[in-house]
Amino acid sequence: MTEAALEARGIVAGYIKGLPILSDVSVTAREAAITVIIGPNGAGKSTLIKAIAGLVPVSSGQVRLAGQDITNPRPDTLGRMGIAYVPQSDNIFRSLTIRQNLDLVLRHAGSDATARRDELMQQFPDLAEKQRDKAGTLSGGQRQFLAVAMALAVKPRVILMDEPSAGLSPRASQEVLEHARVLADGGVTILLVEQNVKQALRLSDHAYILADGRNQINGPAAELLDDPVVGQIYLGGKRMGTA
Amino acid sequence: MIGVISYLVFFTTVASILAIAVLGLNLQWGNTGLFNGGVVAFFGAGAYATLILGGTPQADHLGGFELFYPLALLGGMLAAGLLAWLVGVLTLRLRHDYLAIATFGVAVAFETLMRNAEGLAGGAKGLRGFERPLREALGDGFTYNLVFLAFVLTLLIVVYVFLGRLIRSPFGRMLRAIREDEVAAKSLGKSPSRVRLTAFVTGSVIMGLAGGLYATFYAFISPQDVLPILTFQIWAMLIVGGAGNNAGAVLGTFIIWGGWTASGWALSRFAPIEAQLYTGTVQFILIGMIIVGMLMWRPQGLLPERLVVSQSGKPENKHKTGSRR
Amino acid sequence: MIQSLLDGILVGSILSLGAIGLTMAMHMLRFANFAHAELLSIGAYAALVFDGLFSALFPPLAAAIAPLSLTWALSLAIIISMAVTAGSAILVDRFVFARVRAIGGELSMVFASFGVALVLRNLISLIFGLKTQLYSQDIVFAVVISADPLLLVKPDQVFALVAALVIMLILHLVLSRTTLGYSLRAVAENPTLAQVSGIRLSRMIALIWIIGGGLAAVAGVFYGLTNQISPVIGRDLVLPIFAATIVGGIGSIYGAVLGGFLVGIASNLALVILPSGYSPAVPFLIILAVLLIRPNGLFGEARE
């Protein structure tokens, strides 16, 4: 078994004091693998990602990156720690050009910025063509790729992705998820929240099911894919009782 | 002794009139979340219109329609309401701070107009020629003031009860719903800008009533009575008392008006002569510090709004600014 | 008529400088800051203090730069004043606005700025007195540009206009060409994404106040130079500056520049028809007109 790159233990978190959305969640993302979090609406999946990224205050529990405690980080320091976060929607700056979007995340890179930008442009030829266009003019799939490119700009060890396939056509979402697979195979740790359960499970290594702000089931993604209980939850739409 | 009582009657009358205006503001800010930066314009519209409609004919300015007093007072309320409607129609569908800016502007424009338009309202000299109602029967003395106080208190109670009912009515619930979450209210098929306009106009009509009473009490109004500081005072009264709570609004009025008169008296009595010029300056600083201090340390006021949280566990507060640190 | 137009342009440059900072704060911090115009007062008085100080310490500096009434001492004082004003703006934000932002909504901020304006304005009255003051007692005569129609302009006014335009050009270059500029735009568009992209929000907020405060200081000094200095500068300019932001469209920096000039010109032209006593009301009429015709201003985007 591979090493734990990112670990969240006993997370209690929420927007309002005394009203936690996550009441006790533990998740481990293994290195160079895709870990997916699934669960019904309102289970707290996005909140978990945001809590790890420091966007929702964690009132109890611990987040560790390669063994180091990073609970409640200041969001602007994520990049320096080697973590990138791709929000669900509004994950690019529409009023800036594609190039400016990238320059923004690259501005700490100093003299390497131009080189890094060229690398990214080679990786995403679709974006390279439209460098000087406003990001707001991109299609849904292209936007998602720009968001991923912005995340990759800082060469992260860990990428947190919040429903990257939301609002995309089946083809575009497949492409985005396949790209995540390529990244993971290249050594990046990915923690993913997905609604698109089957597709996500197929491409992931490990999966967690969350409901009512708590862990329910976890295991290798392939096993969960064939698990009749998981099928029942999602196909029957029935909600699980709290553990 | 009679001097003290007569002063208390005077004080209570003015404070009660102001309390009516504060209740009007409470409907706008406390219950609906509308920022009115020009309370004094609506107060002033009520005051000027009441005197113009109810006064005796004057050579040098408009007015002197000698209307039956209650009609003149209603006319004042109507004037305030019309002004509010005009501002509201233009701004309430826009970003929230447009209303703040437009109302602030309307107050500046109102004061400017009253100061300059001699033919309309006597200009800087103010508006004279108003006969206080029932003056022949009651005279000018203590009895009159006592009766007038009773009249003002009655109206204060009427407004208080009216607003209390309004807030508990379905309309009141809608106001709070819109204040808390406009998007949700809209999805229920309600038109937030219409409802907000109604609340804004109603609140301003109540301010107009207070202005009419104020002008009646002094039988005179001039641009000096519609200076921006009155807006600040009324705001301080509401925020100290507790926005959203009518009892708090009245309590806050008496506290701030008491503090204002007491500080003015103390400064004029004990401050050295050369500093007397700055009495107002010091008082303005105090009012400003009260407003800022309350917002920083006790935004709910002395008597907080009593209500059940309308949506429990709703994660994001829509009113929160996006720029958290 | 042409003289009014000319005067309007000169006043307009001052309003533009004030409106740029205000519109940035309204866009990025999302509240109408009624205390912004008080920064102009702070700037004007800070420059007055340091002008006096420099003139007293180094008398040669008190010489006017011909043909202006502006002295070398005052020129230096403007730079110090920009720093003082920016510092004041940051202090007010740290001690008041940051706290209100944390516990209240956007409108609580508007409300707090109302109170802050009252406190600042009256503190200035208390410290410097209610009387009006001047940077220089020397009388500088207006220059006749044309005899028919008679057109007069003071050298100080021309200097203020040119300097304001140069400052705006520099700001434009910074905002459109540097990553700092992109960062500010990014924060305005999406604060959360800006943060996770590595932008430190507290730095950007400070930067907004530095730009806003610095420009306001220059505007305040130029106003003092071409008119006079008094504690009510803020009170008199708050509405025209708001009008400029609304004309230009809230959030648009170029709109604020244009709005400033338009409001300056319109206010001066209006006085051809209206008695001068009505001038405080003109910005409100402009606001009304914009709300009727084009509520989001010239360059504004529709936004709740």
Side-chain angles (χ1 to χ4, degrees), chain A residues 83-159:
Chain A
I83 301 178
Y85 164 70
V86 185
Q88 181 184 343
S89 52
D90 291 331
N91 48 20
I92 50 150
F93 297 105
R94 263 171 278 176
S95 63
L96 301 180
T97 65
I98 287 144
R99 201 178 171 141
Q100 287 168 340
N101 266 283
L102 288 172
D103 284 355
L104 203 64
V105 263
L106 282 169
R107 75 196 191 296
H108 296 301
S111 57
D112 299 336
T114 327
R116 183 73 191 131
R117 192 177 63 207
D118 293 344
E119 267 174 51
L120 287 167
M121 286 294 158
Q122 274 174 5
Q123 223 174 321
F124 298 94
D126 276 10
L127 298 178
E129 281 171 30
K130 302 189 171 181
Q131 276 193 63
R132 289 179 193 283
D133 291 1
K134 287 265 158 76
T137 62
L138 295 175
S139 72
Q142 289 170 329
R143 281 187 203 189
Q144 212 61 46
F145 276 111
L146 176 57
V148 172
M150 284 165 72
L152 290 177
V154 292
K155 294 192 176 163
R157 288 182 286 163
V158 178
I159 302 182

Side-chain angles (χ1 to χ4, degrees), chain B residues 5 15 21 52 67 79 94 99 101 108 126 132 163 168 177 193 195 199 211 233 236 264 276 278 292 308 310-311 323:
Chain B
I5 293 175
I52 289 174
L67 275 188
L94 300 168
L99 179 69
I101 300 165
V108 172
R132 297 167 89 190
L163 287 177
R168 280 189 299 273
S193 45
V195 175
Q233 288 168 329
Q276 298 270 324
Y278 291 93
V292 174
V308 234
S310 44
Q311 313 123 332
S323 38

Side-chain angles (χ1 to χ4, degrees), chain C residues 52-209:
Chain C
L53 198 66
F54 293 147
S55 303
L57 289 178
F58 315 103
L61 289 179
I65 309 167
L68 309 174
S69 77
L70 180 82
T71 60
W72 293 106
L74 182 57
S75 313
L76 280 180
I78 291 176
I79 293 163
I80 308 277
S81 161
M82 288 172 78
V84 169
T85 311
S88 313
I90 291 176
L91 282 182
V92 169
D93 186 68
R94 286 281 142 88
F95 286 115
V96 181
F97 293 150
R99 187 171 167 85
V100 177
R101 194 161 38 225
I103 58 173
E106 291 162 33
L107 284 172
S108 296
M109 299 280 288
V110 176
F111 190 7
S113 75
F114 231 66
V116 167
L118 192 65
V119 173
L120 288 179
R121 185 184 310 149
N122 288 288
L123 275 178
I124 291 172
S125 303
L126 211 54
I127 297 168
F128 295 97
L130 296 166
K131 61 187 185 302
T132 59
Q133 303 188 48
L134 295 169
Y135 289 117
S136 161
Q137 305 302 327
D138 302 340
I139 297 165
V140 176
F141 291 101
V143 178
V144 181
I145 320 184
S146 133
D148 182 38
L150 183 64
L151 282 183
L152 296 171
V153 68
K154 285 188 193 157
D156 285 339
Q157 291 178 313
V158 178
F159 164 76
L161 175 65
V162 172
L165 290 174
V166 170
I167 289 169
M168 289 178 219
L169 181 70
I170 294 172
L171 183 70
H172 162 73
L173 291 176
V174 169
L175 291 181
S176 61
R177 301 284 159 85
T178 65
T179 34
L180 197 67
Y182 310 153
S183 304
L184 277 173
R185 278 155 67 190
V187 171
E189 183 182 322
N190 188 341
T192 307
L193 183 61
Q195 265 180 301
V196 296
S197 304
I199 296 169
R200 191 165 170 184
L201 219 50
S202 57
R203 289 236 175 101
M204 288 296 128
I205 292 174
L207 183 66
I208 291 164
W209 292 119

Side-chain angles (χ1 to χ4, degrees), chain C residues 214-299:
Chain C
L215 297 182
V218 176
V221 176
F222 288 174
Y223 187 84
L225 197 64
T226 49
N227 294 279
Q228 54 197 12
I229 312 157
S230 85
V232 295
I233 289 180
R235 186 198 70 190
D236 292 344
L237 292 183
V238 61
L239 200 56
I241 291 175
F242 266 122
T245 63
I246 289 182
V247 168
I250 292 176
S252 165
I253 289 167
Y254 307 112
V257 172
L258 198 60
F261 283 106
L262 286 177
V263 171
I265 293 167
S267 302
N268 272 277
L269 287 182
L271 295 184
V272 176
I273 319 162
L274 285 172
S276 67
Y278 285 102
S279 68
V282 175
F284 175 68
L285 297 178
I286 296 172
I287 292 175
L288 275 191
V290 174
L291 292 180
L292 271 172
I293 303 164
R294 200 182 160 90
N296 291 309
L298 294 172
F299 301 111

Side-chain angles (χ1 to χ4, degrees), chain B residues 29 33-38 86-87 90-98 100-110 112-118 182 186 196 228-229 231-232 235-236 238-239 277-278 280-292 294-299 317-325, chain C residues 26-32 34 93-96 98-119 121-123 125-126 128-131 187 191-192 195 201-202 205 209 235 238-239 242-243 245-246 249-250 275-281 284 287-288 291-292 295-297 303-304:
Chain B
W29 169 253
L34 302 172
F35 189 90
N36 183 344
L86 179 76
V87 176
L90 287 174
T91 55
L92 282 173
R93 66 211 148 80
L94 300 168
R95 228 178 101 144
H96 293 298
D97 34 16
Y98 276 92
I101 300 165
T103 47
F104 178 79
V106 94
V108 172
F110 185 82
T112 307
L113 185 66
M114 292 308 141
R115 200 175 284 285
N116 289 280
E118 298 204 347
E182 190 171 318
K186 208 180 261 173
R196 285 196 300 195
I229 186 64
T231 299
F232 285 101
W235 270 105
L238 181 58
I239 187 79
L277 189 58
Y278 291 93
T281 308
V282 173
Q283 283 184 300
F284 292 175
I285 293 175
L286 290 175
I287 285 282
M289 288 182 25
I290 286 169
I291 290 176
V292 174
M294 290 300 291
L295 282 169
M296 287 170 69
W297 292 297
R298 200 179 161 83
N317 183 350
K318 193 181 143 338
H319 296 292
K320 274 243 160 78
T321 156
S323 38
R324 275 164 256 128
R325 298 190 175 209
Chain C
M26 280 171 90
H27 192 40
M28 293 169 200
L29 307 176
R30 296 191 163 74
F31 79 106
F34 278 86
D93 186 68
R94 286 281 142 88
F95 286 115
V96 181
R99 187 171 167 85
V100 177
R101 194 161 38 225
I103 58 173
E106 291 162 33
L107 284 172
S108 296
M109 299 280 288
V110 176
F111 190 7
S113 75
F114 231 66
V116 167
L118 192 65
V119 173
R121 185 184 310 149
N122 288 288
L123 275 178
S125 303
L126 211 54
F128 295 97
L130 296 166
K131 61 187 185 302
V187 171
T192 307
Q195 265 180 301
L201 219 50
S202 57
I205 292 174
W209 292 119
R235 186 198 70 190
V238 61
L239 200 56
F242 266 122
T245 63
I246 289 182
I250 292 176
S276 67
Y278 285 102
S279 68
F284 175 68
I287 292 175
L288 275 191
L291 292 180
L292 271 172
N296 291 309
R303 201 182 85 183
E304 252 299 304

